[in-house]
Short mmCIF file of all heavy atoms in Angstrom, two decimals:
data_model
loop_
_atom_site.label_atom_id
_atom_site.label_comp_id
_atom_site.label_asym_id
_atom_site.label_seq_id
_atom_site.Cartn_x
_atom_site.Cartn_y
_atom_site.Cartn_z
N ARG T 220 98.17 128.37 92.68
CA ARG T 220 96.93 129.27 92.48
C ARG T 220 96.29 129.45 93.80
O ARG T 220 95.51 128.55 94.26
CB ARG T 220 95.99 128.68 91.41
CG ARG T 220 96.62 128.57 90.00
CD ARG T 220 95.55 128.29 89.02
NE ARG T 220 96.16 128.33 87.56
CZ ARG T 220 96.31 129.45 86.86
NH1 ARG T 220 95.93 130.58 87.38
NH2 ARG T 220 96.92 129.42 85.65
N LEU T 221 96.65 130.56 94.44
CA LEU T 221 96.30 130.77 95.91
C LEU T 221 95.46 131.97 96.01
O LEU T 221 95.91 133.15 95.65
CB LEU T 221 97.59 130.85 96.69
CG LEU T 221 98.62 129.70 96.44
CD1 LEU T 221 99.86 129.85 97.31
CD2 LEU T 221 97.93 128.37 96.72
N GLY T 222 94.28 131.93 96.51
CA GLY T 222 93.35 133.03 96.58
C GLY T 222 93.42 133.88 97.85
O GLY T 222 92.93 134.98 97.78
N GLY T 223 93.98 133.39 98.95
CA GLY T 223 93.93 134.14 100.13
C GLY T 223 95.35 134.65 100.53
O GLY T 223 96.23 134.80 99.69
N ASN T 224 95.48 134.92 101.84
CA ASN T 224 96.81 135.34 102.37
C ASN T 224 97.79 134.18 102.33
O ASN T 224 97.49 133.09 102.72
CB ASN T 224 96.66 135.86 103.84
CG ASN T 224 95.83 137.09 103.96
OD1 ASN T 224 95.48 137.72 102.96
ND2 ASN T 224 95.45 137.42 105.16
N THR T 225 98.96 134.46 101.84
CA THR T 225 100.01 133.38 101.64
C THR T 225 101.26 133.86 102.35
O THR T 225 101.80 134.92 102.14
CB THR T 225 100.30 133.18 100.18
OG1 THR T 225 99.05 132.67 99.50
CG2 THR T 225 101.38 132.09 99.99
N THR T 226 101.79 132.90 103.25
CA THR T 226 103.07 133.09 103.91
C THR T 226 103.97 131.99 103.61
O THR T 226 103.62 130.85 103.94
CB THR T 226 102.86 133.27 105.36
OG1 THR T 226 102.02 134.38 105.64
CG2 THR T 226 104.18 133.53 106.16
N ILE T 227 105.16 132.22 103.06
CA ILE T 227 106.12 131.14 102.69
C ILE T 227 107.47 131.54 103.26
O ILE T 227 108.02 132.62 103.00
CB ILE T 227 106.19 131.05 101.12
CG1 ILE T 227 104.85 130.60 100.59
CG2 ILE T 227 107.28 129.96 100.81
CD1 ILE T 227 104.79 130.50 99.08
N THR T 228 108.01 130.63 104.08
CA THR T 228 109.19 131.00 104.90
C THR T 228 110.18 129.82 104.82
O THR T 228 109.93 128.67 105.15
CB THR T 228 108.76 131.19 106.36
OG1 THR T 228 107.84 132.23 106.51
CG2 THR T 228 110.04 131.66 107.22
N SER T 229 111.42 130.22 104.41
CA SER T 229 112.59 129.27 104.54
C SER T 229 113.48 129.82 105.60
O SER T 229 113.90 130.97 105.63
CB SER T 229 113.27 129.27 103.15
OG SER T 229 114.53 128.55 103.37
N THR T 230 113.84 128.94 106.57
CA THR T 230 114.63 129.33 107.65
C THR T 230 116.09 129.65 107.27
O THR T 230 116.70 130.63 107.73
CB THR T 230 114.71 128.22 108.80
OG1 THR T 230 113.37 127.87 109.10
CG2 THR T 230 115.42 128.64 109.93
N THR T 231 116.66 128.80 106.37
CA THR T 231 118.08 128.97 105.99
C THR T 231 118.30 129.02 104.47
O THR T 231 119.41 129.27 104.06
CB THR T 231 118.91 127.81 106.52
OG1 THR T 231 118.46 126.60 105.96
CG2 THR T 231 118.80 127.71 108.06
N GLY T 232 117.28 128.71 103.67
CA GLY T 232 117.39 128.59 102.26
C GLY T 232 116.79 129.69 101.43
O GLY T 232 116.36 130.75 102.03
N ASN T 233 116.63 129.45 100.15
CA ASN T 233 116.06 130.40 99.19
C ASN T 233 114.60 130.09 98.95
O ASN T 233 114.21 128.87 99.05
CB ASN T 233 116.80 130.44 97.85
CG ASN T 233 118.30 130.77 98.08
OD1 ASN T 233 118.59 131.62 98.90
ND2 ASN T 233 119.19 130.15 97.34
N VAL T 234 113.83 131.01 98.56
CA VAL T 234 112.42 130.86 98.13
C VAL T 234 112.39 131.20 96.61
O VAL T 234 112.60 132.35 96.25
CB VAL T 234 111.45 131.63 98.91
CG1 VAL T 234 110.01 131.50 98.35
CG2 VAL T 234 111.44 131.36 100.35
N THR T 235 112.08 130.21 95.81
CA THR T 235 112.18 130.47 94.37
C THR T 235 110.78 129.92 93.79
O THR T 235 110.59 128.73 93.67
CB THR T 235 113.33 129.71 93.63
OG1 THR T 235 114.48 129.99 94.28
CG2 THR T 235 113.41 130.08 92.18
N LEU T 236 109.93 130.88 93.43
CA LEU T 236 108.59 130.54 92.96
C LEU T 236 108.33 131.32 91.67
O LEU T 236 107.72 132.42 91.62
CB LEU T 236 107.54 130.98 94.02
CG LEU T 236 107.73 130.38 95.44
CD1 LEU T 236 106.70 130.96 96.31
CD2 LEU T 236 107.67 128.79 95.38
N THR T 237 108.91 130.80 90.54
CA THR T 237 108.96 131.55 89.31
C THR T 237 108.21 130.86 88.16
O THR T 237 108.50 131.13 86.96
CB THR T 237 110.44 131.75 88.95
OG1 THR T 237 111.10 130.41 88.84
CG2 THR T 237 111.13 132.67 89.91
N ASP T 238 107.20 130.01 88.52
CA ASP T 238 106.41 129.44 87.41
C ASP T 238 105.59 130.58 86.75
O ASP T 238 104.96 131.37 87.42
CB ASP T 238 105.49 128.37 88.02
CG ASP T 238 104.73 127.66 86.90
OD1 ASP T 238 103.69 128.21 86.45
OD2 ASP T 238 105.11 126.59 86.53
N ALA T 239 105.56 130.60 85.46
CA ALA T 239 104.88 131.66 84.72
C ALA T 239 103.39 131.79 84.95
O ALA T 239 102.78 132.73 84.71
CB ALA T 239 105.24 131.49 83.18
N ASN T 240 102.79 130.65 85.37
CA ASN T 240 101.32 130.55 85.55
C ASN T 240 100.87 130.82 86.99
O ASN T 240 99.69 130.64 87.33
CB ASN T 240 100.89 129.21 85.02
CG ASN T 240 101.03 129.17 83.49
OD1 ASN T 240 100.73 130.00 82.79
ND2 ASN T 240 101.54 127.96 83.10
N ASN T 241 101.79 131.16 87.94
CA ASN T 241 101.41 131.41 89.28
C ASN T 241 100.43 132.51 89.37
O ASN T 241 100.43 133.47 88.64
CB ASN T 241 102.60 131.82 90.13
CG ASN T 241 103.54 130.66 90.41
OD1 ASN T 241 103.19 129.48 90.32
ND2 ASN T 241 104.80 131.05 90.81
N ASP T 242 99.44 132.31 90.39
CA ASP T 242 98.40 133.37 90.60
C ASP T 242 98.19 133.51 92.07
O ASP T 242 97.69 132.61 92.75
CB ASP T 242 97.07 133.00 89.88
CG ASP T 242 95.99 133.99 90.03
OD1 ASP T 242 96.36 135.17 90.50
OD2 ASP T 242 94.88 133.70 89.73
N PHE T 243 98.72 134.64 92.64
CA PHE T 243 98.52 134.92 94.05
C PHE T 243 97.45 136.03 94.16
O PHE T 243 97.62 137.12 93.76
CB PHE T 243 99.78 135.40 94.65
CG PHE T 243 100.91 134.40 94.57
CD1 PHE T 243 101.91 134.53 93.60
CD2 PHE T 243 101.07 133.34 95.44
CE1 PHE T 243 102.93 133.65 93.46
CE2 PHE T 243 102.06 132.46 95.35
CZ PHE T 243 102.98 132.51 94.35
N GLY T 244 96.30 135.62 94.75
CA GLY T 244 95.16 136.50 94.82
C GLY T 244 95.08 137.44 95.98
O GLY T 244 94.38 138.39 96.01
N GLY T 245 95.91 137.15 96.92
CA GLY T 245 95.93 137.99 98.22
C GLY T 245 97.29 138.40 98.61
O GLY T 245 98.20 138.22 97.83
N PRO T 246 97.51 138.96 99.78
CA PRO T 246 98.79 139.39 100.24
C PRO T 246 99.76 138.17 100.27
O PRO T 246 99.36 137.10 100.73
CB PRO T 246 98.48 139.88 101.71
CG PRO T 246 97.09 140.25 101.70
CD PRO T 246 96.44 139.27 100.78
N LEU T 247 101.00 138.49 99.88
CA LEU T 247 102.05 137.48 99.73
C LEU T 247 103.21 137.86 100.66
O LEU T 247 103.86 138.89 100.40
CB LEU T 247 102.42 137.33 98.30
CG LEU T 247 103.56 136.33 97.95
CD1 LEU T 247 103.16 134.90 98.38
CD2 LEU T 247 103.89 136.30 96.47
N ASN T 248 103.55 137.04 101.64
CA ASN T 248 104.63 137.26 102.55
C ASN T 248 105.67 136.24 102.30
O ASN T 248 105.46 135.01 102.62
CB ASN T 248 104.14 137.26 103.98
CG ASN T 248 103.06 138.29 104.23
OD1 ASN T 248 103.29 139.50 104.14
ND2 ASN T 248 101.81 137.81 104.55
N LEU T 249 106.89 136.63 101.93
CA LEU T 249 107.99 135.68 101.56
C LEU T 249 109.17 135.97 102.37
O LEU T 249 109.52 137.17 102.61
CB LEU T 249 108.28 135.80 100.06
CG LEU T 249 107.25 135.51 99.08
CD1 LEU T 249 107.76 135.77 97.61
CD2 LEU T 249 106.66 134.14 99.18
N SER T 250 109.84 134.94 102.89
CA SER T 250 111.02 135.11 103.70
C SER T 250 111.98 134.04 103.46
O SER T 250 111.69 132.85 103.48
CB SER T 250 110.66 135.08 105.21
OG SER T 250 111.78 135.26 106.04
N GLY T 251 113.27 134.38 103.08
CA GLY T 251 114.30 133.52 102.82
C GLY T 251 115.55 134.24 102.57
O GLY T 251 115.64 135.45 102.55
N ALA T 252 116.65 133.49 102.40
CA ALA T 252 118.00 134.10 102.13
C ALA T 252 117.95 134.87 100.85
O ALA T 252 118.43 136.02 100.77
CB ALA T 252 119.08 133.04 102.00
N ASN T 253 117.35 134.35 99.83
CA ASN T 253 117.10 135.02 98.52
C ASN T 253 115.62 134.68 98.07
O ASN T 253 115.25 133.49 98.21
CB ASN T 253 118.10 134.67 97.43
CG ASN T 253 119.52 135.04 97.75
OD1 ASN T 253 119.83 136.24 97.70
ND2 ASN T 253 120.32 134.04 98.18
N VAL T 254 114.90 135.59 97.55
CA VAL T 254 113.56 135.40 97.22
C VAL T 254 113.24 135.80 95.75
O VAL T 254 113.68 136.88 95.34
CB VAL T 254 112.55 136.18 98.11
CG1 VAL T 254 111.11 136.10 97.68
CG2 VAL T 254 112.69 135.63 99.54
N SER T 255 112.63 134.89 95.00
CA SER T 255 112.24 135.18 93.61
C SER T 255 110.85 134.69 93.42
O SER T 255 110.48 133.54 93.79
CB SER T 255 113.13 134.50 92.58
OG SER T 255 114.49 134.86 92.80
N VAL T 256 109.91 135.56 92.83
CA VAL T 256 108.53 135.17 92.70
C VAL T 256 107.94 135.70 91.37
O VAL T 256 108.34 136.80 90.95
CB VAL T 256 107.66 135.63 93.87
CG1 VAL T 256 107.68 137.17 93.92
CG2 VAL T 256 106.22 135.08 93.79
N VAL T 257 107.11 134.92 90.70
CA VAL T 257 106.42 135.42 89.52
C VAL T 257 104.93 135.27 89.75
O VAL T 257 104.50 134.17 90.24
CB VAL T 257 106.85 134.62 88.30
CG1 VAL T 257 105.87 134.90 87.10
CG2 VAL T 257 108.25 134.92 88.01
N ASP T 258 104.09 136.29 89.44
CA ASP T 258 102.68 136.26 89.50
C ASP T 258 102.18 136.52 88.15
O ASP T 258 102.25 137.69 87.61
CB ASP T 258 102.15 137.26 90.61
CG ASP T 258 100.75 137.25 90.77
OD1 ASP T 258 100.02 136.26 90.21
OD2 ASP T 258 100.16 138.08 91.49
N GLU T 259 101.41 135.56 87.57
CA GLU T 259 100.96 135.72 86.22
C GLU T 259 100.03 136.98 85.98
O GLU T 259 100.18 137.65 85.03
CB GLU T 259 100.16 134.51 85.78
CG GLU T 259 99.43 134.55 84.48
CD GLU T 259 98.52 133.43 84.31
OE1 GLU T 259 97.91 132.91 85.25
OE2 GLU T 259 98.22 133.08 83.13
N ILE T 260 99.16 137.17 86.93
CA ILE T 260 98.15 138.22 86.81
C ILE T 260 98.60 139.50 87.46
O ILE T 260 98.15 140.57 87.14
CB ILE T 260 96.81 137.82 87.38
CG1 ILE T 260 96.35 136.54 86.56
CG2 ILE T 260 95.74 138.90 87.24
CD1 ILE T 260 95.01 135.95 87.02
N GLY T 261 99.54 139.40 88.36
CA GLY T 261 100.12 140.57 89.03
C GLY T 261 99.25 141.12 90.11
O GLY T 261 99.30 142.32 90.42
N ARG T 262 98.46 140.23 90.79
CA ARG T 262 97.61 140.75 91.82
C ARG T 262 98.19 140.67 93.21
O ARG T 262 97.71 141.19 94.10
CB ARG T 262 96.25 139.90 91.89
CG ARG T 262 95.49 140.07 90.59
CD ARG T 262 94.18 139.30 90.73
NE ARG T 262 94.40 137.85 91.09
CZ ARG T 262 93.41 137.04 91.32
NH1 ARG T 262 92.17 137.47 91.46
NH2 ARG T 262 93.63 135.68 91.52
N ALA T 263 99.37 139.91 93.36
CA ALA T 263 99.97 139.70 94.65
C ALA T 263 100.43 141.03 95.25
O ALA T 263 100.91 141.97 94.57
CB ALA T 263 101.15 138.79 94.45
N HIS T 264 100.23 141.16 96.61
CA HIS T 264 100.68 142.26 97.40
C HIS T 264 101.87 141.77 98.27
O HIS T 264 101.58 141.13 99.23
CB HIS T 264 99.55 142.78 98.26
CG HIS T 264 98.32 143.12 97.43
ND1 HIS T 264 98.16 144.19 96.56
CD2 HIS T 264 97.11 142.41 97.40
CE1 HIS T 264 96.98 144.19 96.00
NE2 HIS T 264 96.32 143.14 96.52
N VAL T 265 103.05 142.00 97.84
CA VAL T 265 104.19 141.46 98.51
C VAL T 265 104.72 142.38 99.61
O VAL T 265 104.81 143.58 99.41
CB VAL T 265 105.36 141.25 97.47
CG1 VAL T 265 106.56 140.63 98.18
CG2 VAL T 265 104.87 140.34 96.45
#
Side-chain angles (χ1 to χ4, degrees):
R220 296 191 175 275
L221 309 179
N224 294 351
T225 300
T226 301
I227 299 178
T228 304
S229 170
T230 306
T231 63
N233 301 324
V234 176
T235 307
L236 306 174
T237 54
D238 186 279
N240 296 312
N241 286 343
D242 182 11
F243 300 99
L247 178 59
N248 303 295
L249 303 177
S250 178
N253 295 286
V254 173
S255 300
V256 62
V257 170
D258 184 6
E259 174 194 27
I260 301 178
R262 298 184 300 172
H264 307 287
V265 180

